[in-house]
Coordinates of all heavy atoms in Angstrom, one line a residue:
K4 N 159.3 145.3 112.3 CA 159.8 144.6 113.5 C 159.8 143.2 113.2 O 158.9 142.7 112.4 CB 159.0 145.0 114.8 CG 158.9 146.5 115.1 CD 158.1 146.7 116.2 CE 156.6 147.1 116.0 NZ 156.4 147.9 114.9
V18 N 158.5 135.9 112.9 CA 157.4 136.6 112.6 C 157.9 138.0 112.2 O 158.7 138.7 112.9 CB 156.4 136.7 113.9 CG1 157.1 137.3 115.1 CG2 155.1 137.4 113.5
T36 N 166.9 138.6 102.2 CA 168.4 139.0 101.9 C 169.3 139.1 103.0 O 170.3 138.5 103.1 CB 168.4 140.2 100.9 OG1 167.6 139.9 99.7 CG2 169.8 140.5 100.5
E70 N 146.0 147.7 89.4 CA 146.1 148.5 90.6 C 144.8 148.6 91.4 O 143.8 148.9 90.8 CB 146.7 149.8 90.3 CG 148.2 149.9 89.9 CD 148.8 151.2 89.6 OE1 148.3 152.2 90.4 OE2 149.6 151.3 88.8
D86 N 166.0 130.9 95.8 CA 167.3 131.5 95.3 C 167.1 131.7 93.8 O 166.8 130.7 93.1 CB 168.4 130.8 95.6 CG 169.7 131.3 95.0 OD1 170.0 131.0 93.8 OD2 170.4 132.0 95.8
K90 N 170.1 135.7 94.4 CA 169.3 136.7 95.1 C 168.0 136.1 95.6 O 167.4 135.1 95.0 CB 168.9 137.8 94.1 CG 170.0 138.6 93.7 CD 169.6 139.7 92.7 CE 170.9 140.5 92.2 NZ 170.6 141.3 91.2
L93 N 161.0 136.4 96.1 CA 159.7 136.3 96.8 C 158.6 135.9 95.6 O 158.5 136.8 94.6 CB 159.3 137.4 97.6 CG 157.8 137.4 98.1 CD1 157.6 136.3 99.0 CD2 157.6 138.9 98.7
V98 N 145.0 137.2 98.5 CA 143.5 137.5 98.4 C 143.3 138.7 99.2 O 143.6 138.7 100.4 CB 142.7 136.3 98.9 CG1 141.2 136.5 98.7 CG2 142.9 135.0 98.1
G100 N 140.3 141.3 100.6 CA 139.0 141.5 100.8 C 138.5 143.0 100.8 O 139.2 143.9 101.4
G109 N 145.6 137.7 93.3 CA 146.5 137.6 92.1 C 147.9 137.5 92.8 O 148.2 137.2 93.9
V122 N 153.5 138.5 109.1 CA 154.0 137.5 108.2 C 154.7 136.5 109.0 O 155.6 136.7 109.9 CB 155.1 138.1 107.2 CG1 155.5 137.1 106.3 CG2 154.5 139.3 106.5
T125 N 159.0 130.6 107.4 CA 159.6 129.5 108.0 C 160.6 128.9 106.9 O 160.2 128.7 105.8 CB 158.6 128.4 108.2 OG1 157.7 129.0 109.2 CG2 159.1 127.1 108.8
Q137 N 162.1 127.9 79.7 CA 162.0 128.4 78.4 C 160.7 128.5 77.8 O 160.5 129.4 77.0 CB 162.9 127.4 77.4 CG 164.3 127.3 77.8 CD 165.1 128.6 77.7 OE1 164.9 129.4 76.9 NE2 166.1 128.8 78.7
A142 N 161.1 132.5 85.7 CA 162.0 131.8 86.6 C 161.1 131.0 87.6 O 160.4 131.6 88.5 CB 162.9 132.7 87.4
L143 N 161.2 129.7 87.4 CA 160.3 128.7 88.2 C 161.2 127.9 89.2 O 162.4 127.6 88.9 CB 159.6 127.8 87.3 CG 158.6 128.5 86.3 CD1 158.0 127.5 85.3 CD2 157.6 129.4 87.0

Side-chain angles (χ1 to χ4, degrees):
K4 297 178 271 313
V18 62
T36 299
E70 291 183 29
D86 179 275
K90 296 180 181 172
L93 170 61
V98 178
V122 180
T125 304
Q137 296 298 325
L143 304 176

